[in-house]
Amino acid sequence: MSDRRPISLEEGWEQMRRGIDKLEKFLEGVPDQRFTHEEYINLYTIIYNMCTQKHPQDYSQQLYDKYRGAFEDYIRAMVLPSLQEKHDEFMLKELVRRWDNHKLMVRWLSRFFNYLDRYYIPRRQLPTLKEVGLSCFKDLVYEEIRISVKDAVLDLVNKEREGEQINRAGLKNVLGIFVEIGMDTMDNYEQDFEVFMLHATSAYYSRKAASWIMEDSCPDYLLKAEECLKREKERVSHYLHASSEGKLLEKVQHELLTQYEQQLLEKEHSGCRALLQDDKVDDLSRMYRLFCRIPKGLEPIATIFRQHVTDEGTALVKQAEDAASNKKAEKKDIVGAQEQAFVRKVIELHDKYLQYVSHCFLNHSLFHKALKEAFETFCNKGVGGSTSAELLATFCDNLLKKGGSEKLSDEAIEDTLEKVVKLLAYISDKDLFAEFYRKKLARRLLFDKSANDDHERSILTKLKQQCGGQFTSKMEGMVTDLTLAREQQAAFEEYLADNPGNSPGIDLTVTVLTTGFWPSYKSSDLALPAEMVRCVEVFKEFYQTKTKHRKLTWIYSLGTCNVTGKFTAKPIELIVTTYQAAVLLLFNASERLSYSDIKNQLNLTDEDIVRLLHSLSCAKYKILLKEPAGKTIDHSDVFAFNPAFTDKMRRIKVPLPPMDEKKKVIEDVDKDRRYAIDASIVRIMKSRKVLGHQQLVLECVEQLGRMFKPDFKVIKKRIEDLIAREYLERDKDNPNNFRYLA
């Protein structure tokens, strides 16, 4: 290999300079200045040779410095003057052109000087050729004009906000320079442009908001705010850097929404309350969409929503209360209809605002909570002396019984039952509802008043899901009991067919129930007429063939009888209760009977005898004659069969006014609650061993809260009772602490 002649710095650089001049002319737009492959190889080789000569003719450092100088000379001579003579948009356009040219120049020169990048620069840990090239532009051009560029860009952004058309693509290129000049950091974009842009945005929207809040209604203001946010988002996608989106929208939201939230929501004829009153669903949805982006922005809306729903519900309660108090005492049945209407209205109210929560407020937990609190407030107020628990149970009864006032299709009944169970969630006395419901369910099942077994099972399933298995276990037992009772009756009829000698001479249907499932009923020692005694004996004999270990208790108060009355005009079939039948059958043996005769023969209380005799001699159907005549029953009255009684119907039902069960239900529930509180206290103390009074009360309330809200005074009484029964004791040193006694 022949020895190479060393190239001097001056000679080598002169050749390089010619190449650089050609590149500069190309950048300035002089035609026919492209490099051939040979020219490129030649320039690369010159640099290679000058860097690989032996010391002191290794000119790597000098070439590295001259590389920087080539950029600096070109920028001072051509770039800066062309930028300084232009302004505003023209200056921005020129800047983009010059930046693109500069990157091209860096690319070409770094190829010529590539040998430095490969060996010299890494060894000395110097900035790369690309970094040197870009930093020249940054130091000489960018630092010189960045303020005027920033002002020109902000001016264009402002024009666009005011509705003018601007060159978005050009603007994107200008802002790209702020990003690229940072060389892998966003510092220049953020510090030299973004911070000023955000400040200008705040000032712009602050001015707009101040005028809009005075001029516009709440819906109009929100429409404008939504449109502004949409446009700012578009602005980011068209020319701002993606990292600006969150900060920019936060500024706009702060100025348009956060600053004026209270004023907007409380605007007199168009604020949040007015939108709720006028059912402005779209405006409410927009309000949610805008304020959900703001920290704690939804809380004031949820508060107004809760108050509005509470007010509407309380107005319904007051309306129902007024209607109930205006009713005359004798129109009790109409009061029932009004209470039905009240529950129906509450269901409709819940439907309406549940729709709002799901559609306008997208099921946000804050609004579910607001709806729950609102309904809990007014759903636990009574109407006309009836608790909400009783009203709901009565409403269900009307839905499920034959001939109820609610004439609905099967689907509508299912849907309504679903809604009733949802309402039950807001009622604190769920145990009271359960007891009323059980009483009414018993009547439907025992008197064959239930319209549809599927609906009965369906609501029990829904209640079980809502309140747990314990809540419905007795009711499910009642439904099952009735199915078993039908099978038992079929077996009884079969037994009579096989043993005709045992026939009681009367068609007899017996429903055998399990005591634990059903409400407790008064089992009086009614002295049955001889005809009925035979029936009881026959069934007992049959039942003993089935089981030896079960004891039958007869509940005559729930029985019914079909008795034929042989009146002068025509025989009439009377449908009466077992008690009424027992009274009537006495007159088969005697023409006239005094009050005391009847009482002694039937062995019933005065209260029962008065009810029975009133229903047969003073009510709609006067089957017995009373002496002296009158509307009330007296202990000195005498009664006789009325042969002249007649009616256009051949079959009539003689009503017996039911005893008021409400008082008994409430007493039963109170008794059950005492047991529940006792059990809860013992459970807690068993696991904790020692506990302070306040903590014990709080834990007890928490445990029982799903079924009812225990009264603190009652809990205190139960604690005292458990101390007396030696389940607990007071701590000798601290009487506020209790100990569990095993």
Side-chain angles (χ1 to χ4, degrees), residues 97 183 344 496 548 587 610 651 708:
R97 189 175 81 80
M183 291 186 266
R344 174 65 66 192
L496 291 180
K548 296 274 188 290
F587 289 90
V610 167
R651 193 168 186 232
F708 65 94

Side-chain angles (χ1 to χ4, degrees), residues 257 259 287 679:
L257 301 171
Q259 294 283 61
M287 183 179 277

Side-chain angles (χ1 to χ4, degrees), residues 37 114 120 193 337 343-344 401 444 489 538 552 569 571 614 618 646 649 652 693 699 712 731 741:
H37 185 64
N114 184 255
Y120 178 73
F193 169 72
V343 176
R344 174 65 66 192
K401 72 183 179 186
R444 288 199 300 278
Q489 177 62 22
V538 168
L552 287 174
H614 189 278
C618 304
T646 188
M649 307 295 286
I652 58 172
H693 178 269
E699 286 196 28
F712 287 6
D731 192 313
L741 298 174

Side-chain angles (χ1 to χ4, degrees), residues 276-293:
L276 286 164
Q277 275 162 358
D278 301 337
D279 301 329
K280 300 285 188 190
V281 180
D282 292 342
D283 293 324
L284 287 166
S285 298
R286 183 173 297 107
M287 183 179 277
Y288 173 81
R289 281 199 304 275
L290 292 171
F291 284 104
C292 71
R293 305 167 181 179

Side-chain angles (χ1 to χ4, degrees), residues 181-234:
I181 213 86
M183 291 186 266
D184 301 329
T185 76
M186 293 295 290
D187 294 353
N188 291 95
Y189 175 81
E190 289 171 358
Q191 291 161 17
D192 299 338
F193 169 72
E194 189 183 64
V195 68
F196 298 101
M197 182 269 294
L198 293 174
H199 186 265
T201 302
S202 288
Y204 177 82
Y205 283 110
S206 176
R207 289 194 303 277
K208 289 287 179 192
S211 89
W212 293 345
I213 197 75
M214 304 305 290
E215 300 161 9
D216 295 327
S217 67
C218 175
D220 291 345
Y221 184 101
L222 292 177
L223 266 169
K224 287 181 179 177
E226 190 170 49
E227 187 57 31
C228 290
L229 285 163
K230 185 178 150 203
R231 284 198 190 136
E232 292 301 327
K233 207 167 181 179
E234 284 171 6

Side-chain angles (χ1 to χ4, degrees), residues 506-567:
I506 297 175
D507 286 342
L508 173 66
T509 304
V510 180
T511 308
V512 181
L513 310 173
T514 311
T515 311
F517 295 149
W518 296 76
S520 54
Y521 296 103
K522 191 168 71 173
S523 58
S524 58
D525 295 327
L526 169 68
L528 287 175
E531 299 92 327
M532 293 186 186
V533 172
R534 172 80 184 126
C535 295
V536 171
E537 294 303 327
V538 168
F539 190 82
K540 272 186 184 169
E541 282 171 29
F542 156 74
Y543 197 67
Q544 278 170 351
T545 65
K546 295 283 176 189
T547 175
K548 296 274 188 290
H549 308 293
R550 289 187 182 168
K551 177 175 174 266
L552 287 174
T553 306
W554 294 82
I555 312 289
Y556 302 123
S557 57
L558 295 175
T560 54
C561 282
N562 290 20
V563 179
T564 304
K566 292 181 178 169
F567 302 104

